[in-house]
Amino acid sequence: MGDSSDSVSIDMETPSRSGKEYVVETCSGYVSVSVYGDQDKPALVTYPDLALNHISCFQGLFFCPEACSLLLHNFCIYHISPPGHELGAATISPDDPLLSADDLADQIADVLNYFGLDAVMCMGVTAGAYILTLFAMKYRQRVLGLILISPLCNAPSWTEWLYNKVLSNLLYYYGMCGVVKELLLKRFFSKEARGSAQVPESDVVQACRRLLDERQGLNVWRFHEAMNGRRDISDGLRKLRCRSLIFVGENSPFHSEALDMNSKLDRRCSALVEVQACGSMVTEEQPHAMLIPLEYFFMGYGMYRPPRLSVSPRSPLSPICISPELLSPESMGLKLKPIKTRMSLEV
């Protein structure tokens, strides 16, 4: 920040949204990676939730002008798609072995090696958050920080396991049928966003529904099987060396698990942001709620030093929106405290 006032600086450069597509060979198959930005900058790796890719999972966040400027000003973005989830993906051969969550985490290390990346920032949603957290545990020196949206850390409960088996059978035998899409949309979005008989579903839900039509059911089934067989990683959370920022929608089906995960992280280097009136996919349903916490999280790394003040009048980064209790001088330099945010919904 350039002065002692409480104003927030944001560089409103207009970065290109056209990315480069790579297919990277890993120890357990090929992975599609979309790269956006200057590859000389620090790397931010993303990993989406089940049945999604970077278009359907992170588009809302990266199409928000302030967030786009904030992220691409500081980082080169590496969007990793789960196998068979990239745009235009064909059905994976049934002869290919099923991958475990550990295999998917190891693929990330191979992707970093391919691009010559050392330590990276990571951002993942639900299943993707689990994979990136597991990666951070296995390759501690290679993760600078974790940004986790509605994350998982426990093995599936019996209730979740049975529910997942039903979804798994539907995916295997019927593909991306209407029932499967409805179950996935309930996983991603709040009831308000999904609408009702009287209220139409939101534009973001309609867009996600269309993108789900493009997924190959058997590819989604493979990722789903990996996640249904995931192991409990909660005991290793306190040993993580990197800083963590957790977002979770208060209406997310994974809300209680995110709170549980936050309680097991080292409180000296972690923070929780609960987003009201929101489901699991905060990146799509309420991306503006992520801006202030992200900015201060990055400031803890000394990464965000924009050259000029340029705040949109509509931006939620205006000074009046910043709580004086958001920060405290602890191990992060500027440490986030657990806060709640509420987005004003325009009618």
Side-chain angles (χ1 to χ4, degrees):
M1 300 301 174
D3 53 40
S4 60
S5 71
D6 291 332
S7 63
V8 174
S9 300
I10 182 166
D11 177 20
M12 293 303 291
E13 62 187 20
T14 307
S16 172
R17 288 175 178 167
S18 60
K20 298 179 181 178
E21 301 294 328
Y22 297 84
V23 177
V24 179
E25 184 175 5
T26 73
C27 58
S28 51
Y30 291 91
V31 172
S32 177
V33 184
S34 300
V35 180
Y36 290 74
D38 182 353
Q39 291 183 249
D40 291 331
K41 292 183 178 182
L44 187 152
V45 170
T46 74
Y47 209 100
D49 193 13
L50 178 72
L52 304 176
N53 54 36
H54 70 280
I55 298 297
S56 48
C57 193
F58 298 102
Q59 180 174 263
L61 179 63
F62 282 88
F63 275 25
C64 171
E66 293 89 349
C68 185
S69 178
L70 170 65
L71 294 169
L72 287 178
H73 175 76
N74 292 282
F75 298 100
C76 180
I77 315 298
Y78 296 79
H79 294 296
I80 300 177
S81 293
H85 282 55
E86 66 274 12
L87 291 174
T91 300
I92 299 174
S93 170
D95 295 331
D96 290 355
L98 289 176
L99 302 182
S100 67
D102 281 272
D103 292 330
L104 297 175
D106 291 336
Q107 285 184 334
I108 297 173
D110 291 334
V111 169
L112 301 194
N113 293 338
Y114 176 87
F115 289 105
L117 302 174
D118 186 14
V120 300
M121 189 73 68
C122 296
M123 178 187 293
V125 178
T126 311
Y130 177 91
I131 299 299
L132 290 174
T133 305
L134 183 58
F135 170 72
M137 290 180 173
K138 300 181 73 171
Y139 303 89
R140 294 181 183 178
Q141 300 295 334
R142 307 201 72 171
V143 177
L144 290 172
L146 288 169
I147 302 164
L148 308 173
I149 297 95
S150 304
L152 306 170
C153 66
N154 300 312
S157 64
W158 280 109
T159 303
E160 182 190 349
W161 186 87
L162 289 171
Y163 175 88
N164 285 344
K165 290 303 290 184
V166 172
L167 179 57
S168 181
N169 287 334
L170 287 170
L171 280 166
Y172 188 84
Y173 291 107
Y174 301 101
M176 296 298 292
C177 62
V179 174
V180 167
K181 285 187 285 187
E182 291 304 322
L183 292 174
L184 289 173
L185 292 173
K186 287 182 180 179
R187 172 190 178 101
F188 302 148
F189 299 107
S190 66
K191 184 177 180 180
E192 291 79 5
R194 299 196 312 272
S196 63
Q198 294 75 31
V199 180
E201 62 186 17
S202 66
D203 291 341
V204 69
V205 175
Q206 293 179 31
C208 186
R209 184 187 296 277
R210 290 191 295 270
L211 290 168
L212 288 176
D213 288 333
E214 302 173 7
R215 298 282 77 76
Q216 299 292 337
L218 287 177
N219 296 353
V220 177
W221 172 78
R222 285 173 166 268
F223 189 17
H224 186 261
E225 285 293 287
M227 291 307 301
N228 204 31
R230 69 184 187 271
R231 58 188 172 90
D232 190 322
I233 58 174
S234 56
D235 288 343
L237 292 175
R238 197 167 293 276
K239 298 177 183 178
L240 284 176
R241 299 176 183 176
C242 62
R243 300 163 183 172
S244 304
L245 174 61
I246 295 177
F247 294 90
V248 64
E250 68 172 1
N251 297 326
S252 166
F254 309 106
H255 180 264
S256 60
E257 180 142 0
L259 298 185
D260 181 55
M261 182 173 182
N262 181 67
S263 70
K264 294 172 181 175
L265 288 165
D266 188 337
R267 293 186 178 275
R268 296 172 297 175
C269 53
S270 64
L272 171 70
V273 180
E274 295 180 74
V275 183
Q276 298 182 2
C278 188
S280 297
M281 201 153 45
V282 183
T283 51
E284 290 295 310
E285 193 169 346
Q286 291 200 25
H288 284 84
M290 300 178 66
L291 295 178
I292 295 171
L294 281 176
E295 177 165 4
Y296 283 107
F297 185 69
F298 295 150
M299 283 176 61
Y301 294 86
M303 285 185 171
Y304 187 54
R305 292 189 176 90
R308 66 181 184 272
L309 175 69
S310 180
V311 178
S312 165
R314 295 182 60 199
S315 171
L317 291 176
S318 70
I320 60 171
C321 294
I322 301 177
S323 168
E325 298 180 354
L326 185 64
L327 303 174
S328 64
E330 297 181 20
S331 63
M332 293 175 66
L334 294 172
K335 177 162 186 314
L336 287 164
K337 290 184 175 180
I339 62 172
K340 286 193 176 184
T341 66
R342 178 179 294 278
M343 294 298 297
S344 58
L345 302 178
E346 297 181 2
V347 180

